[in-house]
Amino acid sequence: MAADLAVIGLGYVGLPLAQEASRAGLTVLGLDVAPDVVAALNDGRSHVDDLDDADVAAMLDAGFRATADAAELATADAIVICVPTPLSDEGGPDLTAVTAASRAIAAHLRPNTLVVLESTTYPGTTDEVVRPILEQGGLEAGQDFHLAFSPERIDPGNQTFGLRNTPKVVGGHTLACTAAAAAFYRRFVDTVVEARGTREAETAKLLENTYRHVNIALVNEMARFCHELDIDLWDVIRLAATKPFGFKAFYPGPGVGGHCIPIDPNYLSHNVRARLGYPFRFVELAQEINATMPDYVAQRIQNLLNQERKAVNGATVLLLGVTYKHDIADQRESPAVPVARRLMALGAQVVFHDPHVPAWDVDGTTLHRVADLDAALTGADIAVVLQAHSAYDGEMIAKKAPRVFDTRGITPASETVEHL
């Protein structure tokens, strides 16, 4: 059966893409190497935050089907690669999944097919890594098939901006490739922005996340000296944000997490060092600052306990919110893990509460999840707000807990509450 689109990788990026294309009337095939993911989707069960089972059922009704058989790629007019690119030991992206997907496509590539890479990577990947693999079968990019890069801009849990109303950047191997990719995405995305080429599109994604990475590091560093100088940084940010131009508010936190901010800027930094021989200093400094925040948070917790004449060794520390972002279940690169790791190394009895996480493991140790939040707040030596889930009532937390360290600014200031 012919497909308008085949999506390789049915995770946080690929599944929303498949959903939006299905909504627009495209016949969509999903390919994933995980048999359990394929089986669950074909049974109408979702495994990502932004889609529930009803969403998957609607996709199936629209003709969506998941498969683990790469041979079915031969039936698709367009193929989009949405596989993970985790950080490698060398500091760049691990392209194992990208090259595997490219080889699978190459084995079944037909003339006039559009192939798009959406996986985040370093500039040059589409042309230098993906293209040679795809051309091994004798077809030439820009002549026999279209090749492009379009950075994914999925923001898990965002209720305002989804795939359709977030502008889509596309850059092709040739002008004709760009035009073909733009025409394809315009079938289900409101605004498509054409880049000069694949490298510009690849670098745009890295700039977006580097911008956030650097500005988060800025306020995280300010949090440290503002605390020492007895300055309320949260009020400072509130005041600065009243300026209607030239300022965008960023807020401090216990570190950075997720699949983008802690990882993607390193791809650019690694690429600059590898190709040009000098450091991308902004990124490397931001990484240094943000990576040390969990230890700084643990130290602040220890200091607060000391003020109460309590040792961290044996103290009950209640962590509130262990996901990397509010109101989702995703724990990838969550700073809660290194915070808990450091506290446990100091001898603290670490327990947690998170309305989105039924079980939490830190370095092989399963931490106790408290069921009764009110009782846990009362019984803990200190409650630590690590994530601002909407289910959390800051005033209630401040009232019930004997001591609060709030890294997200959701609790009112008081004698028993200290903010990051």
Side-chain angles (χ1 to χ4, degrees), residues 136-154:
Q136 287 175 357
L139 299 180
E140 183 179 345
Q143 296 293 326
D144 303 305
F145 69 94
H146 297 297
L147 175 64
F149 181 83
S150 179
E152 60 89 2
R153 284 173 160 175
I154 298 296

Side-chain angles (χ1 to χ4, degrees), residues 10 15 32 36-47 56-57 59-60 64 66:
L10 299 174
L15 199 57
D32 201 283
D36 56 334
V37 169
V38 171
L41 290 173
N42 286 331
D43 285 342
R45 290 179 282 115
S46 177
H47 62 287
V56 176
M59 291 171 63
L60 294 172
F64 170 78

Side-chain angles (χ1 to χ4, degrees), residues 117 163 298 319 380:
L117 175 64
L163 195 142
L319 302 183

Side-chain angles (χ1 to χ4, degrees), residues 16-59:
L17 173 66
Q19 179 193 34
E20 203 59 60
S22 294
R23 283 174 171 170
L26 279 69
T27 302
V28 182
L29 176 71
L31 177 69
D32 201 283
V33 296
D36 56 334
V37 169
V38 171
L41 290 173
N42 286 331
D43 285 342
R45 290 179 282 115
S46 177
H47 62 287
V48 302
D49 285 308
D50 286 347
L51 280 78
D52 57 26
D53 292 351
D55 292 322
V56 176
M59 291 171 63

